[in-house]
Amino acid sequence: MTTSVPASRIPEAVHRRRWAILGVLMLSLLIVVLDNSILNVAIKTISTPAPTGLGATQSEIEWAINSYTLVFAGLLFTAGLIGDRLGRKKVLLGGLVVFGIGSALAAESGSPDQLIAYRALMALGAAFVMPATLAVLMNVFEREEQPKAIGIWAGGVGLGIAIGPITGGALLDHFWWGSVFLINVPIVILAVALMVWLVPDSRDPKPGRLDPVGVVLSVVGLVLLVYGIIKGGELADFTDAKVLATIIAGLVVLAGFVIFEKRSDHPSLDVTYFKNKVFSAAMAAIALVFFALMGVTFFSVFYMQSVRGYSPLESGVMMLPLAASQMIFAPRARLVVDRFGNKATTTAGLVLIAATLAAFATFEADTPVWLLEVIFFLMGTGMAHIMTPTSVVIMQALPREKAGSASALSNTFRQVGGALGIAVLGSVLSAAYRNGVEGKLNVLPPALRDTAGESIEATLGIAEKLGPRGQALVTPANDAFLHAMHVTALCGTGVALIGAVVVALFLPGRPPAGQRGEREPELVAASD
């Protein structure tokens, strides 16, 4: 029987400790996910002037997030191939050590530029951790246990999203801002020790060839594009010659990347996958969901902490409904798909995301807190009913031997979508805020006006230094931010609605009754 072959390849000693190995893999994954969700509640603190924070501008904060995201997304494919070639355990250990060193350096950053550089170093490590954990998992579990193990592994992502904001808030309430990065170091040390002890090494006997040219083109193109978008928001002028030149250069390099990958015999991104309209629509849905989500997370932190005055811990607790609804509904979304089909479920999820973003366009400084909590819960519910069906569609749209590539592509598009969400929606927020507050900054000395207009934190920081004279700026700053948040939320709403149209047009509908029960046994019985 072909199904007995995988079991025979797994040594008995490894098989006995497979669940302990899964625990170590989840710990490794948790660090990577936890770091991003912890950072979300620290955004406001880091943007506060020294000694409390680094005095980072809004564009510098965007880069602190995006330097991680872009490096992570750009190296994901190559990191997986290197793990296949050198050994997954070695790559996992190396990735964790680099991530730990980057975290320690980030915690001691003396300037926003240093923080951006060290976050990129952390991403270099994280890119080697994420694909290797899943590859090791597939090599220590027998085929019939793999779906259960993958489900538990994926639950680690939900756990990280849930506990990250609370952990970050608690740390910021008692320690300095760098503690949100330093917390990674002891967890990395524990994960490395357990991995050396428990996790077996494995490699692919026929690893794919590396694609360094493709990696460089993709990273350079994305960095230029994102830099141009963020610079446009910072200047509140997207028609500036430097902004336009950078954005166009980024698009040209990305076009060159696509052409190169199309002609390569060992592409890191196989562009022929996108000839499949179902696959392309599912990828677009994932990218657009994270575009909207990362954008709304970015501005909601300033809304809760700067406008409403909540502490980092309080704002972290307030974001719990977003994570809780994902953890509740993601495992059950498959039941909804079985009942209504991929198209109806995913379209409804995107419409729900659009509705929650539109709700943010109505929020004021005194909107009841319970309403904000309901909106966060509904947003998480919408995400759960998009991520699960689109992941299934992506895996089923390609041949089974391409499952690893499909998974890496899904991760890459999620990260790129999130990076563009922060860049585009963050820039809209920045430009709208500057336009709204500029006329109210006449009370400041001319030398301070430009800096004060960069973000609500910059305005409030300067107002605080001026004492009673600066208090006149607080209300205009809050009003300008609320207007900017409303504009940004409506932009996000439009993006989510575009996504809903795309999936409604191209995703498959509900399969005939006779086919619905056949898919699972077919997957279980798949040969090697």
Side-chain angles (χ1 to χ4, degrees):
M1 292 286 291
T2 55
T3 50
S4 66
V5 176
S8 67
R9 289 196 199 136
I10 301 170
E12 181 59 29
V14 173
H15 181 70
R16 280 201 307 270
R17 63 177 190 260
R18 64 196 185 284
W19 296 108
I21 292 169
L22 178 60
V24 179
L25 296 177
M26 283 184 64
L27 183 63
S28 307
L29 181 69
L30 188 64
I31 304 166
V32 175
V33 177
L34 195 67
D35 178 72
N36 266 338
S37 55
I38 278 181
L39 182 61
N40 286 338
V41 296
I43 289 170
K44 189 253 184 187
T45 307
I46 294 170
S47 63
T48 305
T52 305
L54 287 175
T57 65
Q58 190 159 301
S59 61
E60 286 169 338
I61 288 290
E62 290 173 42
W63 272 115
I65 298 170
N66 279 342
S67 65
Y68 182 98
T69 305
L70 292 172
V71 171
F72 182 84
L75 294 179
L76 209 54
F77 279 105
T78 299
L81 286 172
I82 291 174
D84 291 345
R85 187 179 291 266
L86 300 181
R88 281 95 181 217
K89 181 177 180 176
K90 296 184 188 76
V91 163
L92 255 176
L93 288 169
L96 283 170
V97 169
V98 170
F99 187 84
I101 292 169
S103 298
L105 292 170
E108 298 299 328
S109 298
S111 69
D113 287 343
Q114 285 183 9
L115 179 61
I116 291 165
Y118 295 142
R119 286 278 295 160
L121 181 63
M122 290 169 68
L124 174 64
F128 284 87
V129 171
M130 178 74 89
T133 57
L134 192 53
V136 170
L137 182 154
M138 300 299 279
N139 274 276
V140 298
F141 281 91
E142 295 169 15
R143 187 173 297 280
E144 59 270 19
E145 283 188 323
Q146 285 175 1
K148 182 180 179 182
I150 291 170
I152 296 170
W153 176 86
V157 177
L159 187 64
I161 292 170
I163 66 175
I166 295 174
T167 306
L171 287 168
L172 291 170
D173 270 12
H174 296 94
F175 305 102
W176 95 115
W177 66 266
S179 62
V180 301
F181 299 111
L182 200 61
I183 189 69
N184 294 329
V185 177
I187 306 175
V188 164
I189 292 169
L190 176 63
V192 166
L194 289 172
M195 196 167 292
V196 169
W197 177 37
L198 286 169
V199 177
D201 205 356
S202 65
R203 64 180 69 192
D204 189 336
K206 295 179 181 177
R209 289 167 61 192
L210 301 181
D211 178 27
V213 176
V215 170
V216 170
L217 286 174
S218 64
V219 173
V220 169
L222 284 169
V223 167
L224 285 171
L225 177 62
V226 169
Y227 177 83
I229 293 168
I230 291 175
K231 193 68 181 174
E234 189 183 330
L235 298 173
D237 181 11
F238 287 94
T239 61
D240 179 84
K242 186 179 178 182
V243 170
L244 283 175
T246 311
I247 291 174
I248 291 168
L251 292 172
V252 168
V253 173
L254 288 174
F257 165 70
V258 171
I259 293 167
F260 179 82
E261 295 298 282
K262 204 169 182 180
R263 294 178 177 177
S264 173
D265 58 355
H266 57 285
S268 57
L269 172 65
D270 192 338
V271 293
T272 59
Y273 292 166
F274 293 92
K275 291 179 181 176
N276 183 325
K277 289 180 182 177
V278 170
F279 179 86
S280 297
M283 281 295 186
I286 283 178
L288 291 172
V289 162
F290 274 83
F291 182 101
L293 178 77
M294 294 300 286
V296 76
T297 304
F298 188 79
F299 68 65
S300 65
V301 169
F302 288 105
Y303 170 67
M304 289 188 286
Q305 294 183 27
S306 299
V307 176
R308 303 199 62 142
Y310 293 118
S311 72
L313 178 57
E314 287 169 337
S315 63
V317 170
M318 287 179 70
M319 294 187 80
L320 260 182
L322 181 68
S325 57
Q326 287 183 64
M327 293 180 74
I328 291 167
F329 293 111
R332 296 168 175 81
R334 192 68 187 274
L335 302 175
V336 181
V337 172
D338 287 343
R339 178 78 184 272
F340 300 105
N342 283 308
K343 179 181 294 202
T345 305
T346 310
T347 303
L350 278 159
V351 169
L352 182 57
I353 293 278
T356 56
L357 286 166
F360 267 98
T362 67
F363 284 2
E364 301 296 341
D366 57 355
T367 297
V369 172
W370 67 264
L371 190 58
L372 183 63
E373 299 295 84
V374 169
I375 292 303
F376 275 140
F377 185 84
L378 291 175
M379 186 172 283
T381 304
M383 277 197 69
H385 289 90
I386 298 164
M387 296 308 297
T388 300
T390 50
S391 297
V392 172
V393 166
I394 287 165
M395 291 306 196
Q396 291 177 349
L398 298 181
R400 287 191 185 90
E401 63 271 17
K402 301 292 184 184
S405 297
S407 178
L409 256 178
S410 175
N411 255 317
T412 302
F413 268 65
R414 186 168 67 190
Q415 297 294 333
V416 171
L420 289 174
I422 291 167
V424 174
L425 296 183
S427 295
V428 170
L429 183 75
S430 181
Y433 178 78
R434 184 181 283 278
N435 289 333
V437 81
E438 232 164 11
K440 309 293 192 301
L441 300 177
N442 296 331
V443 296
L444 295 175
L448 291 177
R449 289 174 195 169
D450 188 56
T451 304
E454 285 177 352
S455 68
I456 185 171
E457 275 311 301
T459 309
L460 295 178
I462 288 172
E464 193 176 342
K465 285 180 181 176
L466 291 175
R469 196 160 58 94
Q471 285 303 302
L473 284 175
V474 174
T475 300
N478 286 343
D479 290 344
F481 179 83
L482 286 169
H483 170 70
M485 184 179 83
H486 295 163
V487 172
T488 308
L490 289 174
C491 289
T493 303
V495 169
L497 288 174
I498 290 169
V501 172
V502 169
V503 297
L505 288 174
F506 297 112
L507 279 199
R510 190 181 180 205
Q515 292 177 16
R516 283 201 294 276
E518 294 169 6
R519 193 179 296 150
E520 295 305 325
E522 186 184 298
L523 288 171
V524 171
S527 61
D528 301 307

